[in-house]
Amino acid sequence: MVEYKSGIHPKRNIGGKWMADFFQSVESWDISVPCSVICQAEGSALNENKKVVTVYNRELKITSPPEVLKVNKTYSLECIGPRVYPKNKLILTWLRGSEIVQRVSTGEKGFPDEDKRLRNVFNFTASASDDGQEYTCLAEVDLGSNTTKPITNSSVTLQTYSFTDPPRILNKDPIEVKQEVTLICEVPNVDPAEKMRIRWSQDGEELKTIALRSNSNTVRATTRWTPQESGLMEVVCTADFEEYPSIPPRNDSFFIMVYVFSAPEIQVPTTLEGKAVNITCSVFNVSGELQLRLKNRNNVLVSKSSSTELTIYHTVDAQAKLDGQQYTCEAVLKLQAQSKTSPIVKQQNATLHVQYPPTEAQVRKTADDWIEGKSQTLSCNAAGNPAPQVSWIKDGQIYFREKLHIPSVQLRDGGQYVCRVTNEYGSKNSSLNAVIMYKPQNTSISVNNKTVSGSPIHVSKGDEVTITCNSNGNPPATLQWEAPSKGSNDETGPPGVLRISHATSEHHGIYKCRATNKYGTDEKEVDIRVKGETWTLYLVIAGIILTLIISAIAAFVWYSKSSAHKKGIYKVHNAKPNNNPQIPYGLEPYEETLPLRKLIP
């Protein structure tokens, strides 16, 4: 038998030895279920068992944290559990993701009529890893025997930030008015860096800003600024998290010195040699302490100081050696607010041009000697302003060029070469004489002052013979003789002369003259024949032999022209058969003239 307090009417199902009650809605916090069993047997007693039912609702409340949490700052997450009776049956747990970070419960049962909730307060220090992290409060009912039943939960996702350092302006140097400059602002140790916003402004007007991320937690922003006025100008760099209005913005500001400093101007007029030239160096607009210098290389010629515009002068006596000299107008500006930085320096250079006639022309050649067949190049130049025009003169012809190139030197290329350099103020000439070096050539031999043409030269036995050799060459050739005899009456005279005081048969033969210099060799020879008795006999025999040869040739010619002895195949025209009995067929001689026509040549 099961009985409840007045007013509780569950739906009941009854079995043979059991009873079950079903409650569609629990309207009371204290439900006690008594179960009584009475046996009908004699002597039995009443058995009774009571059970307290745990009742709860699902009201779970989490106190919302700030919109965004600052890294390294301590915060609390508070969870207020649902109402449960008995109270000691409730467990509240904080989970970081799936990890349990804190669990609470109570041993007090409480009273059914009091609404005293269980709280779980989790204190923690926010870190960068908490950004986007989900925390969950889980409410469970203790069913005993180490068994729990989840009844409700609620979660919250955290957002964190790190903004430990304020923005800082990196470039604070003075700026020249109306000159564009790039300003850079940097915020280090930012998280999340992608949500950081940096803005530039000047005099309350926002400047166009370009954001850059130099690394994972540093943000930079640049802007291009062109100041229009001189003086101290304040620029401001502001950094904030646009998505988190609760985080106050931070900024850095700086007063930048904007100065006026026009470029120095230098004037170096072009002048004629021998005249004075006045060089000026000027700066026309400055805001600060100016020092102006006129320099030639590292030599300071003039130096003056001023806080306004300034011009300095220097006079030079124009000389040809000063042509092309460079002069520098150097301006050094020191600003009042520039105690820790270097002065601002500007320079302008100019070149002095001195006009003068050409100096002596310099003639050069690529090869020391003019050698026949080899190449040669002549070059000519001279100083002068304007630059001189170069021309060459050879054998009356003028060549307007600085270089003359001869690919293969010939004898005709010898002679005088004149280089002329000219400008509007004068001209100069310089000459070079070309002497062609060549090997021996045109070697000739004369015998007793008669030039040899190639035929043998006949001399009589006992004659005095003078053989002379001549040859052209540069340097002059060395002449050497090769003679067929080594007679004691041979004499060598001046170079190239060979004398035979008494000609004999030993002097009969070929005489060779060899002409030699450092560039080559040339040779010429003559055949000397010595006449005597034996020589006369030779002439008679030669005459007889010549007469016989001429006679034989004449006979052969006559025989060849004779018709009776012509060879070949001929056709006899108008010939008659031999009917004369007086002309027998035999070996007797017989002659008859017949017309012939040659058939086969």
Side-chain angles (χ1 to χ4, degrees), residues 294-557:
L294 181 61
K295 301 194 300 183
N296 175 232
R297 296 187 179 93
N298 294 324
N299 301 321
V300 178
L301 305 176
V302 184
S303 178
K304 287 186 178 182
S305 299
S306 176
S307 58
T308 59
E309 63 181 46
L310 181 61
T311 299
I312 55 179
Y313 306 90
H314 181 70
T315 302
V316 176
D317 184 17
Q319 302 176 33
K321 65 180 182 180
L322 297 180
D323 182 50
Q325 289 270 325
Q326 189 177 73
Y327 292 84
T328 302
C329 179
E330 181 181 80
V332 180
L333 180 64
K334 187 174 182 180
L335 303 173
Q336 296 178 355
Q338 198 184 9
S339 59
K340 296 183 180 181
T341 58
S342 301
I344 302 167
V345 180
K346 289 187 177 183
Q347 292 181 338
Q348 185 69 35
N349 298 320
T351 301
L352 174 61
H353 296 286
V354 178
Q355 296 182 331
Y356 59 96
T359 60
E360 192 69 27
Q362 300 293 324
V363 176
R364 295 179 177 85
K365 53 185 180 178
T366 55
D368 292 337
D369 295 329
W370 294 68
I371 303 173
E372 184 182 23
K374 302 292 183 179
S375 66
Q376 180 68 280
T377 301
L378 299 179
S379 61
C380 180
N381 57 68
N385 191 9
Q389 183 185 44
V390 179
S391 61
W392 288 93
I393 303 172
K394 172 70 165 69
D395 298 335
Q397 290 188 344
I398 301 177
Y399 306 91
F400 291 98
R401 64 190 72 167
E402 292 185 5
K403 292 184 178 181
L404 282 180
H405 177 65
I406 305 171
S408 180
V409 172
Q410 305 298 320
L411 294 179
R412 65 177 178 271
D413 295 320
Q416 188 180 55
Y417 291 79
V418 177
C419 171
R420 176 172 295 167
V421 289
T422 305
N423 67 10
E424 59 186 276
Y425 300 107
S427 64
K428 288 286 181 68
N429 290 346
S430 184
S431 63
L432 177 147
N433 188 43
V435 178
I436 311 301
M437 313 301 286
Y438 57 97
K439 70 177 184 178
Q441 60 185 15
N442 300 325
T443 303
S444 64
I445 296 176
S446 63
V447 178
N448 294 334
N449 296 324
K450 293 183 179 180
T451 301
V452 174
S453 61
S455 301
I457 301 299
H458 303 280
V459 297
S460 298
K461 185 177 180 180
D463 286 353
E464 180 179 353
V465 181
T466 300
I467 308 174
T468 304
C469 179
N470 293 295
S471 182
N472 295 327
N474 194 12
T478 300
L479 304 175
Q480 292 181 327
W481 283 102
E482 289 185 8
S485 69
K486 298 181 180 179
S488 59
N489 55 355
D490 294 351
E491 298 178 2
T492 302
V497 178
L498 181 64
R499 290 191 178 93
I500 302 173
S501 59
H502 184 77
T504 67
S505 59
E506 294 180 351
H507 298 102
H508 182 84
I510 302 298
Y511 287 77
K512 182 182 294 185
C513 175
R514 180 178 291 109
T516 305
N517 66 12
K518 62 189 289 188
Y519 300 108
T521 300
D522 192 28
E523 294 182 348
K524 188 72 174 180
E525 61 183 30
V526 62
D527 185 4
I528 301 294
R529 306 285 178 90
V530 180
K531 297 185 295 182
E533 295 179 356
T534 304
W535 182 255
T536 304
L537 178 61
Y538 289 161
L539 291 177
V540 172
I541 294 173
I544 294 172
I545 293 173
L546 181 62
T547 301
L548 293 175
I549 292 172
I550 293 172
S551 298
I553 292 173
F556 177 76
V557 172

Side-chain angles (χ1 to χ4, degrees), residues 264-283:
E265 298 180 13
I266 183 171
Q267 294 182 350
V268 183
T270 299
T271 187
L272 292 175
E273 183 180 24
K275 294 188 177 182
V277 57
N278 194 28
I279 303 173
T280 62
C281 169
S282 305
V283 172

Side-chain angles (χ1 to χ4, degrees), residues 35-312:
C35 180
S36 301
V37 180
I38 303 173
C39 295
Q40 301 296 329
E42 185 177 352
S44 63
L46 176 64
N47 291 324
E48 185 178 60
N49 186 15
K50 289 186 178 182
K51 185 70 173 178
V52 177
V53 178
T54 302
V55 181
Y56 61 87
N57 64 17
R58 300 179 186 275
E59 297 176 358
L60 184 67
K61 182 180 180 182
I62 293 179
T63 303
S64 298
E67 175 190 25
V68 61
L69 310 182
K70 186 175 181 180
V71 172
N72 295 327
K73 185 176 180 181
T74 301
Y75 293 92
S76 296
L77 290 176
E78 184 179 24
C79 176
I80 302 174
R83 183 177 177 183
V84 178
Y85 179 80
K87 183 180 178 183
N88 59 355
K89 295 296 184 180
L90 179 63
I91 301 172
L92 285 181
T93 303
W94 274 110
L95 299 171
R96 187 178 188 271
S98 60
E99 176 189 2
I100 297 175
V101 293
Q102 185 167 287
R103 172 176 283 174
V104 297
S105 62
T106 181
E108 300 177 1
K109 292 180 60 175
F111 301 97
D113 295 333
E114 67 177 354
D115 187 5
K116 190 175 182 180
R117 307 288 183 99
L118 182 63
R119 296 171 181 265
N120 188 349
V121 179
F122 173 56
N123 297 315
F124 69 100
T125 300
S127 65
S129 62
D130 285 324
D131 189 55
Q133 181 63 58
E134 184 180 67
Y135 282 79
T136 302
C137 181
L138 174 63
E140 301 172 284
V141 172
D142 185 1
L143 301 179
S145 301
N146 295 322
T147 304
T148 61
K149 176 184 178 180
I151 57 174
T152 188
N153 66 75
S154 182
S155 300
V156 63
T157 300
L158 303 185
Q159 301 291 334
T160 64
Y161 77 94
S162 177
F163 192 5
T164 58
D165 300 317
R168 57 188 182 188
I169 298 173
L170 299 184
N171 46 339
K172 300 180 179 181
D173 294 333
I175 302 172
E176 187 174 352
V177 68
K178 296 184 180 180
Q179 297 294 317
E180 185 181 80
V181 65
T182 298
L183 301 177
I184 303 174
C185 179
E186 180 181 85
V187 185
N189 303 317
V190 176
D191 186 60
E194 66 273 9
K195 295 182 179 180
M196 171 62 68
R197 178 179 62 172
I198 301 177
R199 291 168 294 167
W200 278 99
S201 61
Q202 194 276 319
D203 196 20
E205 181 180 351
E206 187 167 336
L207 305 176
K208 183 179 179 181
T209 304
I210 301 175
L212 304 169
R213 288 181 61 186
S214 58
N215 55 52
S216 60
N217 62 350
T218 299
V219 180
R220 281 188 174 185
T222 63
T223 186
R224 295 181 180 274
W225 178 48
T226 304
Q228 299 299 318
E229 298 179 357
S230 61
L232 291 175
M233 298 290 177
E234 183 182 24
V235 291
V236 179
C237 172
T238 303
D240 65 359
F241 288 99
E242 186 176 10
E243 295 184 17
Y244 306 138
S246 60
I247 303 174
R250 306 176 75 177
N251 60 58
D252 185 23
S253 63
F254 184 75
F255 284 91
I256 296 180
M257 170 61 73
V258 180
Y259 62 89
V260 177
F261 187 11
S262 63
E265 298 180 13
I266 183 171
Q267 294 182 350
V268 183
T270 299
T271 187
L272 292 175
E273 183 180 24
K275 294 188 177 182
V277 57
N278 194 28
I279 303 173
T280 62
C281 169
S282 305
V283 172
F284 296 106
N285 197 2
V286 293
S287 57
E289 183 180 344
L290 173 68
Q291 185 176 29
L292 195 59
R293 305 187 188 107
L294 181 61
K295 301 194 300 183
N296 175 232
R297 296 187 179 93
N298 294 324
N299 301 321
V300 178
L301 305 176
V302 184
S303 178
K304 287 186 178 182
S305 299
S306 176
S307 58
T308 59
E309 63 181 46
L310 181 61
T311 299
I312 55 179

